[in-house]
């Protein structure tokens, strides 16, 4: 909840775990282990950069069909594929 607000100015509620994964890398800087967790949530508000000078340069809503043409990390691509293939009730 806090991260959604800090990065986008959106208020998140009704969180449900959607996906989690881990990966590791080794480079000349050492070993790196990451845990990535994706939640499904209800979001309220209009997206905006809250933390000026932080890690978020811009934020906006984008149609799902446009996401593959944007520069993203692999987590985004993998999560969208899982979202599209999810069972629907």
């Amino acid at each position: 909840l806090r991260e959604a607000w800090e990065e986008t100015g959106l208020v998140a509620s009704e969180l449900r775990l959607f996906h989690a994964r881990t990966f590791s890398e080794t480079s000349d800087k050492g070993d790196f282990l990451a845990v990535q967790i994706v939640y499904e949530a209800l979001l309220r508000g209009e997206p905006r950069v809250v933390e000026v000078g932080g890690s978020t340069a811009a934020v906006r809503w984008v149609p799902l069909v446009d996401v593959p043409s944007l520069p993203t990390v692999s987590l985004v691509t993998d999560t969208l594929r899982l979202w599209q293939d999810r069972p629907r009730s």
Side-chain angles (χ1 to χ4, degrees):
L1 299 172
R2 176 186 53 82
E3 195 70 16
W5 170 254
E6 287 180 359
E7 299 293 334
T8 67
L10 297 170
V11 175
S13 62
E14 299 182 34
L15 269 66
R16 289 180 297 279
L17 178 64
F18 180 72
H19 176 58
R21 72 179 190 179
T22 63
F23 69 92
S24 60
E25 296 177 354
T26 300
S27 72
D28 57 342
K29 296 180 182 179
D31 295 333
F32 174 78
L33 174 63
V35 177
Q36 297 175 319
I37 302 171
V38 178
Y39 290 93
E40 182 179 351
L42 177 64
L43 299 171
R44 291 189 331 266
E46 285 299 317
R48 62 188 173 86
V49 175
V50 174
E51 184 182 18
V52 177
S55 61
T56 303
V59 61
R60 66 176 192 227
W61 291 114
V62 179
L64 286 177
V65 296
D66 294 347
V67 173
S69 67
L70 300 171
T72 63
V73 295
S74 63
L75 178 65
V76 172
T77 306
D78 295 346
T79 301
L80 284 178
R81 186 179 65 252
L82 289 168
W83 177 257
Q84 292 165 344
D85 294 344
R86 77 192 185 288
R88 310 211 183 188
S89 50

